[in-house]
Amino acid sequence: MASVQVSPKDEMLARFLDAAATGNVAKVSAMITHSSSLINESGENGWTALMLGARNGHFKVVQTLLTNGCDKSSVNKSGQTAYDIARFWGHKHIASLLANSRGGNSHHLLPSSGTEGHENYFSREYLNRMSEKRTDSPWLKAKQSSPASVYILFFNLNPLVTSGADGAGESERDFKLCKLRWGTVKELLTKPGTTVIFLGVEKQVKFASQPPVEDEDGLTAWFALNAEDNPMEDLQFPSPNCFFLKSTFPALLQLSSDEAGVIAQARSVLAWHNRYSFCPTCGSRTKIDEGGYKRTCLKEDCRSLQGIHNTCYPRVDPVVIMLVIHPDGDQCLLGRKKTFPVGMYSCLAGFIEPGEVIEEAVRREVEEESGIKVGPVQYVSSQPWPMPSSLMIGCLAVAESTDIKVDENEIEEARWFTRQQVIDVFTKNSKPAFSMAPRQAIAHQLIKHWIGVNANL
Ligand SMILES: NC(=O)c1ccc[n+]([C@@H]2O[C@H](COP(=O)([O-])OP(=O)(O)OC[C@H]3O[C@@H](n4cnc5c(N)ncnc54)[C@H](O)[C@@H]3O)[C@@H](O)[C@H]2O)c1
Ligand SMILES: [Mg+2]
Ligand SMILES: [Mg+2]
Ligand SMILES: [Mg+2]
Ligand SMILES: [Zn+2]
């Protein structure tokens, strides 16, 4: 009996399809490098390598084929695409990968809701900054000595606060800013190491504790002071319960929303003065201008006096912080730094570099820290983080790969957590898989946003 002749071409195709069906990524990759036309060839019943990889749940095979330009739209003799097959067999993240790479769009994994209504801790603008008044010296001078003006005091960049809750641990307390009057701080204002900045005027509502003193123009100005030496001995404080916060974190997270916003502004500007004592261009002495919003070099021929220079103004360091969503849409990537409390995981974050847009910074930082490649990025909300002057730019992002490889210099571990594990942490349903950053951190709000929007929590 004559045996059926198999051509070398058919034999190669059979080996290629078998490699895809059994998840042999190395072989698939090697064969398409050697013979690129194989990639879209079909065998029995019109099944391509992509369909076989999708059928058997081989994510990396599918990914390799897609990366090498495989046609995702081909159908088998039953009219199914690789995407249909992956869905039918329940390989959700392969289906997502295929769906996303159809036209390269995985935006459907991102919530379509707007970002209005997001208010993060440290974000509330309680004061009207009135920047136009910063150059109005007579107005500023009058406001400084007005009995209606409010002073908040810092020592070592820690605010003077009062706390009602006796005996409670520092982290559970509700701190309130001590609002001082000119009469109390006027001696301090004359001391050489004291920095004073104008914060703005109260928008409308006054703090209940504030005495009803008003200026003629009806504007209550706020100033912030940073003292170089501990001012406690020299000053008479209105309440014996006033004290300077000892630690910045987490104590600064225990203020009311109104006061946290004022602290974000004041602490960042004061920290800038504290750390930029001399002209960054020539090293000479500087003087403080514009209500504390500018430092001008005192050396006449300094280059920083020619034109406008960012070295003269308070700095803000933009940081991207992102919740990365798995291609299956049902998991998110969280990491932990060595310094985190045991069991705590949070969003990845990193400073934006010069010449970089937000989206690219998200992609670079995620890949640097976790090895994950990121596709679409969606802005959600932002948060000033006055330690000393970051602006956290909160985003959701969709991963295009899933294998984690952490940069151990930056983070200790990164993991995918399922939506259910995250929900369990929020609802305290069962033994949680991890602990969350505090609610005042934008990381917490980003995670909640993802869960809330997708799971109607
Ligand atoms: N609010 C939140 O929920 C939240 C969450 C995570 C991180 N953060 C803050 O985000 C910031 C950045 O995150 P990261 O540390 O992961 O960044 P990162 O991943 O970029 O790594 C930090 C390193 O970047 C370098 N760097 C570059 N520019 C810098 C700059 N302007 N200031 C300081 N270091 C700079 C330093 O070597 C530093 O060690 C941190 O300050 C952190 O406090 C806030
Ligand atoms: Mg980093
Ligand atoms: Mg980082
Ligand atoms: Mg970085
Ligand atoms: Zn100079």
Side-chain angles (χ1 to χ4, degrees):
M1 215 164 81
S3 63
V4 180
Q5 283 283 318
V6 181
S7 72
K9 197 174 159 238
D10 287 346
E11 204 215 311
M12 186 155 70
L13 177 61
R15 280 195 287 121
F16 178 60
L17 295 176
D18 185 64
T22 54
N24 189 339
V25 191
K27 195 165 176 189
V28 167
S29 197
M31 290 186 82
I32 44 185
T33 306
H34 180 254
S35 176
S36 61
S37 63
L38 276 176
I39 201 162
N40 292 318
E41 294 276 0
S42 54
E44 214 182 334
N45 294 324
W47 281 64
T48 60
L50 191 70
M51 293 169 193
L52 290 163
R55 159 67 184 86
N56 293 332
H58 298 308
F59 186 89
K60 283 195 178 156
V61 167
V62 173
Q63 197 175 40
T64 304
L65 292 165
L66 290 174
T67 314
N68 284 280
C70 183
D71 178 6
K72 294 139 291 198
S73 59
S74 14
V75 289
N76 62 19
K77 287 193 177 152
S78 310
Q80 297 164 311
T81 60
Y83 171 77
D84 300 328
I85 293 164
R87 279 198 54 168
F88 179 80
W89 290 98
H91 303 305
K92 278 207 277 185
H93 71 299
I94 294 183
S96 286
L97 179 67
L98 287 157
N100 298 344
S101 54
R102 270 192 309 203
N105 186 355
S106 49
H107 283 91
H108 68 284
L109 294 178
L110 296 169
S112 55
S113 68
T115 55
E116 319 80 53
H118 284 272
E119 189 193 63
N120 294 304
Y121 189 80
F122 286 130
S123 311
R124 186 172 300 172
E125 286 275 325
Y126 172 76
L127 301 174
N128 177 349
R129 295 178 182 230
M130 295 199 89
S131 55
E132 71 276 15
K133 293 292 189 195
R134 291 176 192 160
T135 45
D136 187 344
S137 304
W139 186 89
L140 275 182
K141 210 163 166 237
K143 284 294 179 195
Q144 273 200 24
S145 54
S146 160
S149 295
V150 174
Y151 283 85
I152 58 172
L153 183 56
F154 291 73
F155 167 51
N156 270 343
L157 302 175
N158 289 319
L160 187 72
V161 296
T162 163
S163 162
D166 248 9
E170 194 169 84
S171 63
E172 295 121 45
R173 284 188 193 164
D174 233 356
F175 296 115
K176 294 196 168 26
L177 285 177
C178 289
K179 288 175 270 299
L180 309 179
R181 297 286 168 181
W182 183 69
T184 312
V185 299
K186 65 181 177 191
E187 296 294 319
L188 190 57
L189 281 168
T190 61
K191 289 206 164 188
T194 302
T195 307
V196 57
I197 60 168
F198 167 60
L199 297 172
V201 302
E202 283 179 18
K203 277 183 179 163
Q204 263 159 25
V205 200
K206 292 200 190 324
F207 288 117
S209 59
Q210 196 181 306
V213 192
E214 266 204 10
D215 270 357
E216 272 174 22
D217 60 6
L219 299 175
T220 304
W222 279 52
F223 295 89
L225 287 184
N226 189 48
E228 216 162 61
D229 302 313
N230 191 340
M232 282 306 239
E233 290 125 38
D234 304 336
L235 294 180
Q236 286 251 309
F237 289 107
S239 154
N241 296 330
C242 286
F243 58 94
F244 289 103
L245 283 182
K246 280 198 205 73
S247 69
T248 307
F249 194 86
L252 268 196
L253 304 186
Q254 309 297 314
L255 298 159
S256 72
S257 303
D258 284 337
E259 296 191 340
V262 175
I263 287 291
Q265 176 190 4
R267 191 174 193 280
S268 287
V269 180
L270 290 173
W272 173 65
H273 287 297
N274 192 252
R275 284 157 200 204
Y276 288 72
S277 314
F278 295 93
C279 171
T281 306
C282 76
S284 302
R285 295 203 162 275
T286 53
K287 70 178 171 76
I288 296 179
D289 282 333
E290 300 191 7
Y293 274 76
K294 186 172 184 184
R295 288 186 85 100
T296 308
C297 183
L298 292 171
K299 186 164 170 272
E300 260 173 39
D301 58 349
C302 177
R303 273 180 292 128
S304 73
L305 301 176
Q306 314 293 316
I308 292 177
H309 294 265
N310 61 357
T311 54
C312 305
Y313 298 93
R315 62 176 299 152
V316 177
D317 298 323
V319 177
V320 285
I321 178 157
M322 45 274 164
L323 182 67
V324 179
I325 305 166
H326 193 279
D328 73 7
D330 242 4
Q331 299 174 66
C332 67
L333 182 71
L334 300 175
R336 51 172 284 111
K337 287 190 177 188
K338 284 195 190 80
T339 50
F340 282 6
V342 179
M344 189 181 112
Y345 286 79
S346 189
C347 297
L348 302 184
F351 289 97
I352 297 188
E353 295 196 349
E356 194 171 46
V357 295
I358 293 170
E359 291 83 347
E360 277 313 314
V362 168
R363 294 187 183 106
R364 178 185 52 74
E365 282 289 345
V366 172
E367 192 165 356
E368 279 175 11
E369 296 188 359
S370 69
I372 298 292
K373 289 193 187 303
V374 159
V377 174
Q378 184 184 71
Y379 169 77
V380 177
S381 68
S382 62
Q383 175 183 48
W385 194 247
M387 286 133 294
S389 54
S390 296
L391 174 67
M392 308 301 299
I393 302 171
C395 298
L396 293 183
V398 184
E400 284 185 337
S401 69
T402 57
D403 283 347
I404 296 169
K405 187 171 183 302
V406 296
D407 173 353
E408 283 165 16
N409 293 321
E410 297 221 39
I411 55 170
E412 187 178 71
E413 200 196 345
R415 277 171 58 187
W416 292 109
F417 288 94
T418 65
R419 179 194 302 278
Q420 191 55 52
Q421 285 175 316
V422 175
I423 291 172
D424 286 345
V425 174
F426 278 114
T427 57
K428 302 182 174 82
N429 268 347
S430 53
K431 194 173 175 294
F434 66 100
S435 73
M436 187 77 70
R439 66 173 170 78
Q440 296 90 338
I442 190 173
H444 180 110
Q445 299 303 329
L446 275 174
I447 300 168
K448 201 167 172 183
H449 173 65
W450 175 63
I451 288 297
V453 170
N454 288 277
N456 290 328
L457 250 194

